[in-house]
Each structure stands twice: as C-alpha cells, then as structure tokens.
Amino acid sequence: KQIEGPKEETLSELQALIEPYTIRRLLREVRKNMPDRMPPQVYEVELYPEQRKAYEQMRLDMVAWVNDHAEPSDDMSPLIAQEVVAQRMRLLQFACAHAHLDEEGNVRLSEPSSKLDFAMQLINSYVEQGVKLIVFSDFRQLIELLNVRLDTAGIDYVTVHGHVPTEQRILNVDKFQNGSAMVFTGTIKSGGTGIDLFAASRVLFLNRDWSAT
C-alpha cells in the first residue's frame, strides 16, 4: 500500500500498517545484564593561563566580528547563520586546548590542554578498575592529541574519525568489542552513529553544548 500526504497525517497510518510485522522491546529486555543507568556527571576544568589568553583573544575577535556585521542602528539585524556558527565553533575549539589560527584561518590545536589532563586522570582511573571506556569529541584534532597521550601512557585503545578508512574502522570496533582495547576514542560524527559499542560501560564527552553567556 502506498501512503501519501503530510508526514504528520500519515505517520500514525504507517505505524498501524507495520505494527503486526514488528516487535518492539526495551534494550534491558534483550540484554538482561545491563547495569543501571547512571545520571550524567559534568566536570568543570579551568583553562591554563596560555589557553585562557588565546581563548580571550578569540572571544574578543568574535565579538568584534559580530559587531562589525550588525547594523549599528538595529541590535536585532540578522547575521549570516553559517558565519555565526563558524565563529562559535572556533571559540569552542579554543576552550579544548591551546589553539591558534593558521594562515588559512583554520583552528590548530596543540598542547597544553587542561581538559585532556583531567580526561587522562579519569581514563587512568577507569582502566585501573578494568572499566572499558568510550571518549568522544566533536573535534578530530582533540582526539588525535588524546591518542598521543594514550600511546605515551601505554593504554590500549582504538580510534574512529573521518581520516580512518572504513575497513580499519570495522577492525577497530571489533577489537574494542572483543576486549583487545580498553578505550575507544572517536569523533561524534564518525563514531556516534551506526556503531554498536555495548562492551563499554562509561562514555566521556570532551566537549558539550556551549553558550558565550
């Protein structure tokens, strides 16, 4: 049967049609040994002085850019959404590690990073307890900085991000699932969809939604 019409009007009809052929179960019903769900924990980490200096300069540049692109007589004048988002994402990266803009205006992350220092404390603690851990970030450069630290610490890990070939991603996921690696690192876009990582019991997000206020 072909269903046509607005989504709001046809969704219930579609659900009624497929309901006899589908089974919906809670994840807990399928996997009996799942641990209790824990409330999220939020950690606040202070930037190191050199990070703070770079961050404040970037923040002032962003504010100046917004003021330059707004009509002086109208505080509610529209700005180009894509440009505003780009400015916001730059500042978010500056909050993750020491950062600067290259000649092409791209953000380059480097050490030091107070956030990664704290993240490594958590990772070491979980690994010592035998807890398998997933670490996500929006930014590949931050994940790559973390991977260098994991290498130095001798912690077995696998990674998935936009520069990892598809075949290697599959192998990395399998390695994590079968217990050969304690830590899985990746970018949210590459590792957050279409991958089953039920072997882990903890997820650490290195950055979260952000507001300038």
Side-chain angles (χ1 to χ4, degrees):
K1 179 178 179 180
Q2 183 174 351
I3 301 176
E4 298 181 354
K7 178 180 178 181
E8 294 78 10
E9 299 176 7
T10 58
L11 182 59
S12 59
E13 185 178 355
L14 175 62
Q15 290 174 336
L17 282 172
I18 67 175
E19 198 231 343
Y21 309 100
T22 58
I23 298 177
R24 299 185 64 184
R25 293 178 180 172
L26 297 175
L27 186 56
R28 186 175 294 277
E29 296 173 348
V30 179
R31 297 202 174 108
K32 304 291 186 181
N33 60 344
M34 284 194 64
D36 293 333
R37 189 171 185 178
M38 298 178 61
Q41 294 178 282
V42 178
Y43 302 99
E44 294 185 2
V45 181
E46 289 292 328
L47 300 179
Y48 290 137
E50 53 264 59
Q51 290 181 255
R52 171 64 65 181
K53 181 178 180 181
Y55 178 90
E56 284 299 322
Q57 184 59 57
M58 186 63 202
R59 185 183 67 82
L60 293 174
D61 290 346
M62 186 186 78
V63 172
W65 181 91
V66 171
N67 290 335
D68 288 343
H69 288 75
E71 293 292 337
S73 61
D74 183 8
D75 292 337
M76 298 302 293
S77 60
L79 295 172
I80 302 174
Q82 291 180 335
E83 292 293 338
V84 174
V85 171
Q87 295 289 333
R88 173 192 178 278
M89 292 303 291
R90 282 181 176 180
L91 193 56
L92 181 56
Q93 292 178 77
F94 270 66
C96 292
H98 187 267
H100 71 278
L101 298 180
D102 64 17
E103 295 179 355
E104 299 177 352
N106 299 314
V107 177
R108 299 301 177 191
L109 300 183
S110 60
E111 297 284 5
S113 169
S114 56
K115 181 172 289 189
L116 290 183
D117 282 350
F118 186 77
M120 285 300 297
Q121 293 179 29
L122 293 177
I123 292 171
N124 283 320
S125 175
Y126 284 131
V127 170
E128 289 175 0
Q129 300 173 52
V131 175
K132 293 176 72 66
L133 175 71
I134 300 169
V135 186
F136 278 140
S137 172
D138 282 318
F139 310 116
R140 176 178 56 83
Q141 291 185 70
L142 189 62
I143 289 297
E144 290 177 337
L145 288 176
L146 174 63
N147 291 345
V148 171
R149 287 176 175 242
L150 294 173
D151 280 326
T152 302
I155 296 175
D156 291 329
Y157 74 95
V158 292
T159 192
V160 170
H161 52 67
H163 287 195
V164 177
T166 301
E167 297 79 5
Q168 188 62 48
R169 295 187 191 192
I170 296 173
L171 293 175
N172 287 351
V173 171
D174 289 343
K175 184 177 179 180
F176 181 75
Q177 289 291 84
N178 66 30
S180 300
M182 289 297 296
V183 180
F184 180 99
T185 69
T187 53
I188 295 174
K189 288 183 178 179
S190 296
T193 57
I195 296 179
D196 195 346
L197 299 172
F198 60 84
S201 56
R202 296 289 188 276
V203 180
L204 175 62
F205 291 92
L206 294 179
N207 52 271
R208 57 174 296 183
D209 197 16
W210 167 93
S211 172
T213 59

